[in-house]
Amino acid sequence: MRDVLKLLADGEFHSGEALGAVLGVSRAAVWKRLEHFEGEFGLVVHRLRGRGYRLASPLSLLDGGRLESDLAVLGWRLVLLDSTDSTNAEVLRRLAADESAPLLLLAERQSGGRGRRGRTWVSPFAENLYYSLGLRIEAADCPLEGLSLTVGLAVLAALREQGCASAGLKWPNDLLVAGRKIAGVLIELAGDPGGACQVVIGIGVNANMLPGRVEIDQPWTSLRQERGELVDRTALALSLGRSLQHYLNVHRARGFAALRDEWEAAHLWQGREVQLSAGPQQIQGIVLGVDRQGALRLNVAGEERAFSGGELSLRLRDDS
């Protein structure tokens, strides 16, 4: 399968003879195999008599060789899958089975990708980056407070390195461009948060999705939309790995407090009027920033209050 996709990834026409040679089937049987690809992976293949077959849009497949070479320098082990239900869930299963860490798992697609508060993370084949890093840590050696915000800084640095200078942060786990979501972070734990535990850092980046292909229930954009060209997803993953290691090292040594000023400088909603949903409770206030543990600081009716927790949702007051 992967050899055929590598051949078709350029979005150009390729002859039935060439594809048949890769597939190990006759020219007449090529279309049946490609129809299977369409159904299994959601790809659209165009056929034109006399010219052959091409994908409706070019693909950037993840390159395992390039990834393994660079990740070895970081000391991370790589698992690259064509498909999984959720990269976070798969890493948690592997850590529970005593596989070694740090473990970076990447997939070309997810059938059950998820974000915060149980939301679905749309994960079409070879379009975006579905990225989960599994760690085993002692809480005394690496504070968990503010970790998701630290990871957000790492994602932001990678986006900017990839040419998306206008990206910024939204507390607690989102990255936006002009009010549209481009990436998100989901951290999940297993074990004792106060002692030894397994931590999975899940990151989703909209890399090459374009409007009209998928339905998403919130405004979104992608690196391809912002840059106007196909994104090399392998280069994006490598950039993210280097950035993530740097910020995790700072966080491990000095905690989120050392990164607080940098985070606030990149927070798009500093000083904005917002509404915070905490279950049935709706709290209105003005964003003051975050505290040393990453909790949101709001001016609520003239009083400063701090809020943290995985079930909180923040939106602008004038965002209808």
Side-chain angles (χ1 to χ4, degrees):
M1 183 276 293
R2 201 165 183 85
D3 288 341
V4 175
L5 290 177
K6 285 180 180 178
L7 187 61
L8 290 170
D10 60 7
E12 302 295 330
F13 279 104
H14 295 271
S15 69
E17 290 86 352
L19 291 169
V22 174
L23 287 166
V25 300
S26 68
R27 175 182 173 182
V30 166
W31 181 239
K32 285 290 186 183
R33 289 292 186 92
L34 294 182
E35 283 183 318
H36 171 72
F37 286 171
E38 285 189 310
E40 183 174 359
F41 299 110
L43 300 173
V44 177
V45 181
H46 294 313
R47 176 173 59 171
L48 185 62
R49 184 180 298 276
R51 298 195 66 185
Y53 306 84
R54 70 172 179 86
L55 293 176
S57 179
L59 290 178
S60 173
L61 296 170
L62 293 168
D63 185 328
R66 286 171 61 196
L67 288 163
E68 284 187 341
S69 177
D70 273 46
L71 291 172
V73 177
L74 302 181
W76 298 356
R77 186 166 64 90
L78 173 69
V79 173
L80 176 59
L81 302 176
D82 286 329
S83 181
T84 188
D85 56 347
S86 156
T87 57
N88 267 27
E90 179 64 16
V91 170
L92 285 170
R93 289 191 290 264
R94 288 170 179 260
L95 293 181
D98 290 327
E99 291 198 22
S100 60
L103 167 64
L104 176 63
L105 190 139
L106 299 171
E108 295 288 6
R109 73 164 180 173
Q110 299 179 115
S111 59
R114 60 182 189 266
R116 288 183 65 243
R117 301 166 61 232
R119 300 186 74 168
T120 298
W121 189 274
V122 177
S123 309
F125 184 85
E127 293 279 346
N128 302 322
L129 195 63
Y130 318 119
Y131 183 113
S132 293
L133 176 65
L135 306 170
R136 288 193 175 90
I137 67 171
E138 293 281 348
D141 298 329
C142 182
L144 297 177
E145 295 86 358
L147 180 59
S148 64
L149 278 68
T150 293
V151 174
L153 278 171
V155 179
L156 179 63
L159 290 174
R160 289 177 173 175
E161 186 176 291
Q162 292 295 309
C164 189
S166 57
L169 300 165
K170 176 209 161 189
W171 188 90
N173 296 80
D174 292 341
L175 291 96
L176 310 178
V177 175
R180 297 175 295 167
K181 188 167 181 176
I182 193 169
V185 175
L186 177 64
I187 294 182
E188 297 184 284
L189 308 178
D192 179 7
C197 65
Q198 296 84 48
V199 178
V200 180
I201 297 171
I203 299 169
V205 181
N206 295 337
N208 285 318
M209 281 198 309
L210 292 176
R213 296 188 191 174
V214 296
E215 293 292 332
I216 299 179
D217 63 355
Q218 60 182 308
W220 63 273
T221 187
S222 66
L223 271 172
R224 184 175 180 182
Q225 283 185 264
E226 300 303 315
R227 289 178 18 177
E229 60 183 3
L230 189 73
V231 173
D232 182 337
R233 293 164 62 238
T234 300
L236 173 60
L238 292 174
S239 176
L240 181 53
R242 293 188 295 269
S243 177
L244 192 54
Q245 186 186 58
H246 165 73
Y247 280 96
L248 288 176
N249 285 342
V250 174
H251 186 97
R252 184 178 296 111
R254 300 163 59 198
F256 174 72
L259 298 165
R260 173 183 170 185
D261 291 345
E262 182 180 351
W263 194 94
E264 288 187 339
H267 190 210
L268 297 169
W269 290 7
Q270 288 291 110
R272 302 290 298 274
E273 294 186 2
V274 296
Q275 178 170 292
L276 183 71
S277 299
Q281 188 178 16
Q282 304 296 314
I283 302 161
Q284 296 184 350
I286 299 173
V287 176
L288 300 175
V290 293
D291 67 14
R292 294 170 61 86
Q293 286 75 44
L296 181 70
R297 297 165 49 237
L298 291 183
N299 179 334
V300 180
E303 176 187 358
E304 180 175 327
R305 296 174 61 186
F307 301 88
S308 62
E311 297 306 311
L312 300 179
S313 176
L314 190 69
R315 62 185 297 178
L316 294 174
R317 283 185 59 181
D318 58 1
D319 182 7
S320 59

